[in-house]
Amino acid sequence: MYRIVRKEALRPIVTLYEIEAPLVAKKAQPGQFIILRVDENGERIPITINDYNPEKGTVTIIVQTVGSTTEKLSHLNEGDCLHDFVGPLGKATETEGKKKVCVVGGGVGCAIAYPVLKKFHDCGAEVHAVVGFKSKDFVILEEDFQKSSDKLIVCTDDGSYGRKGLVTEALKDLIEEGNQYDEVFAIGPMVMMKFVSLTTQPYGIPTTVSMSPIMIDGTGMCGGCRLSVGGEMKFACVDGPDFDGHKVDWNLAVKRNQMYAEFEKHKHEETCNLFKKEVQ
Ligand code: FES
C-alpha cells in the first residue's frame, strides 16, 4: 500500500499528491511515469511523475480530475493509501549535454515539464521556459518554474495573467530574437505540441515532445497510445513517451486523441448516470 503523505489542491480540479513509494523514488527520472490503482477493483491509469525525493522516499504526481478514476482519487486524503503504484516506467528524457534549451508546457502538462526543466537546469544548461494556461485561475507551479529557469514567459489565452496569446507565438519571438536552442522540449495538449513542432521545424531546432497525454493504461496492451513516428508504428508507453516532434504524424495523432477524448467523455457520463441511478 502506498500512503498519501501530502495532498494539495493547486486549482479546483488539479491536485498534487505526494506518495510514499521508496523504491519508485529511488529510480525515478524526469519524463517517466507510474501506473496507479486507487483500489483493488480500480482501473489502472498512467500518470507522469512530477517530482521525486529519494531521501524521503516519496514521489509527487499532479492529477487533473477528468474521469471516474481521477474522481475516485480526489476523494482520498492524506493518510489514505493507494492500492498500486508501479514504476518508474517509460524512458527517461535525455537532458545531458545541452547548452541552451527551451521547455514549453501547456496546462497540466506543466507538471511533466517541470522535472524535465529542473534536470536540464541541474545539468548546467541555460533554460528558457514558456508555459501557457487558459487564464490566471489555471496557472500552476509558477514559483517552481521561476527557480529553475533563466527566463520564464507565462502566457494566458485571455490575457488575465502574463502575456496574452499562444505559447507558440512566444516561442517564435524567442527564436527570432536570436536565441539558439540546442533543443525545444514540449509537453501539453496534442494540438499545442503539434504547433510547437511546426514552429521549430523551419529553424531546424531539434524538438522533443512527450506523448504521455495519449496513454490510457500504460501497459502496451490497449493500443490507445499508438502513433506513427517517421513512418513506423510506435507505442508511447513502450517506445516513449518522448519522440522527435518533427517525425510524428500529427494528423493521425490528433485524430486518435480526439476520438479517445470523445470516448472518455461518454464513458464518464455513463458512469455518472449509473452512479446517480444507484443512489436514487
Ligand atoms: Fe495502452 Fe500504451 S497506453 S498501449
Side-chain angles (χ1 to χ4, degrees):
M1 296 293 243
Y2 302 87
R3 201 162 55 92
I4 300 171
V5 295
R6 180 162 67 110
K7 179 184 178 186
E8 191 185 329
L10 300 181
R11 292 294 162 209
I13 57 161
V14 180
T15 311
L16 176 149
Y17 302 88
E18 187 176 349
I19 314 286
E20 210 168 59
L23 294 179
V24 184
K26 215 165 151 185
K27 294 195 165 169
Q29 292 290 322
Q32 291 187 299
F33 65 95
I34 54 90
I35 294 180
L36 66 79
R37 259 196 321 166
V38 175
D39 54 41
E40 210 178 346
N41 301 315
E43 66 171 348
R44 292 172 172 80
I45 54 163
I47 310 269
T48 305
I49 294 167
N50 163 254
D51 209 350
Y52 45 90
N53 186 331
E55 285 80 41
K56 214 171 149 196
T58 58
V59 174
T60 306
I61 52 172
I62 292 180
V63 182
Q64 184 169 21
T65 307
V66 285
S68 52
T69 299
T70 48
E71 169 83 36
K72 215 190 267 181
L73 177 63
S74 72
H75 294 299
L76 297 186
N77 292 309
E78 287 175 5
D80 291 338
C81 290
L82 300 176
H83 193 273
D84 286 330
F85 195 84
V86 179
L89 301 163
K91 292 179 185 152
T93 302
E94 284 174 30
T95 46
E96 282 175 25
K98 309 277 187 309
K99 286 201 179 84
K100 190 168 181 173
V101 296
C102 185
V103 174
V104 185
V108 183
C110 290
I112 306 170
Y114 171 65
V116 174
L117 171 129
K118 191 165 171 281
K119 191 73 192 278
F120 274 130
H121 175 78
D122 294 347
C123 289
E126 180 181 342
V127 182
H128 291 182
V130 181
V131 290
F133 304 92
K134 244 197 250 175
S135 68
K136 189 178 181 204
D137 293 342
F138 291 85
V139 176
I140 57 168
L141 304 173
E142 189 184 358
E143 258 181 49
D144 293 322
F145 273 97
Q146 198 92 54
K147 271 186 223 153
S148 301
S149 52
D150 299 277
K151 188 190 231 340
L152 170 66
I153 301 176
V154 181
C155 304
T156 50
D157 295 348
D158 62 1
S160 53
Y161 191 68
R163 172 178 166 148
K164 184 177 191 296
L166 303 171
V167 288
T168 42
E169 293 162 355
L171 172 64
K172 193 166 192 294
D173 286 351
L174 286 171
I175 298 169
E176 292 281 314
E177 280 165 21
N179 288 294
Q180 292 187 343
Y181 297 119
D182 296 322
E183 184 177 336
V184 167
F185 178 89
I187 166 72
M190 183 74 77
V191 176
M192 185 210 91
M193 294 193 282
K194 171 183 171 177
F195 283 99
V196 166
S197 302
L198 291 179
T199 302
T200 56
Q201 198 152 25
Y203 301 95
I205 303 169
T207 300
T208 303
V209 292
S210 169
M211 299 303 265
S212 36
I214 64 168
M215 294 192 299
I216 300 173
D217 66 357
T219 64
M221 282 155 69
C222 72
C225 69
R226 209 171 57 210
L227 69 156
S228 173
V229 183
E232 279 180 49
M233 210 45 92
K234 300 278 183 191
F235 289 85
C237 65
V238 177
D239 306 303
D242 293 352
F243 294 98
D244 180 341
H246 297 156
K247 289 191 177 159
V248 172
D249 180 338
W250 288 106
N251 290 340
L252 192 69
V254 170
K255 211 159 126 196
R256 281 181 64 84
N257 192 236
Q258 281 165 347
M259 267 167 50
Y260 173 67
E262 205 48 39
F263 168 74
E264 268 299 291
K265 199 173 126 205
H266 289 307
K267 202 171 89 180
H268 183 55
E269 277 164 9
E270 272 170 31
T271 313
C272 290
N273 289 341
L274 271 178
F275 179 70
K276 274 183 210 151
K277 265 189 207 154
E278 265 177 33
V279 293
Q280 268 166 10

